[in-house]
Amino acid sequence: MTERRQCAHLQGIVTVKRPARQVCEECIAIEGTWVHLRTCQECGVTLCCDSSPNRHASKHAKATGHPVIASAEPGERWIYCYVDDTIAKY
Ligand SMILES: [Zn+2]
Ligand SMILES: [Zn+2]
Ligand SMILES: [Zn+2]
């Protein structure tokens, strides 16, 4: 098994941003529901994952060009780059 190298985006993350609150900030505005939460490492907003109906985190990444998210789930310690489809533990 070959381990994929981290991309420059992931390598550029020095301190991983954790969520301020355990909610999707866009779902609470529309009274939506979510499955898992992800925190944008560029601006710190916490949004829902691709298993959630509204997929706010990937929409945010596409709309803003912010490439890296971290899992906002308690106990999960990984970051992910949308541009390079690369994941890293921290
Ligand atoms: Zn990347
Ligand atoms: Zn959401
Ligand atoms: Zn962002």
Side-chain angles (χ1 to χ4, degrees):
M1 223 168 90
T2 53
E3 198 167 317
R4 237 191 307 181
R5 276 186 42 167
Q6 287 188 29
C7 68
H9 304 105
L10 295 183
Q11 283 173 343
I13 304 295
V14 180
T15 309
V16 175
K17 290 183 174 70
R18 299 294 300 184
R21 295 194 295 161
Q22 289 287 335
V23 296
C24 172
E25 295 187 19
E26 293 197 21
C27 279
I28 50 170
I30 60 168
E31 299 187 341
T33 58
W34 58 85
V35 180
H36 300 297
L37 295 170
R38 310 292 181 235
T39 301
C40 175
Q41 295 301 295
E42 194 82 25
C43 65
V45 69
T46 296
L47 299 166
C48 55
C49 71
D50 280 355
S51 305
S52 307
N54 294 299
R55 301 182 178 186
H56 283 129
S58 46
K59 281 183 191 161
H60 174 80
K62 276 207 191 84
T64 59
H66 296 168
V68 181
I69 48 139
S71 174
E73 297 300 311
E76 288 188 5
R77 294 174 62 86
W78 53 262
I79 51 177
Y80 173 77
C81 175
Y82 283 106
V83 176
D84 299 292
D85 188 24
T86 303
I87 194 163
K89 290 190 176 146
Y90 68 89

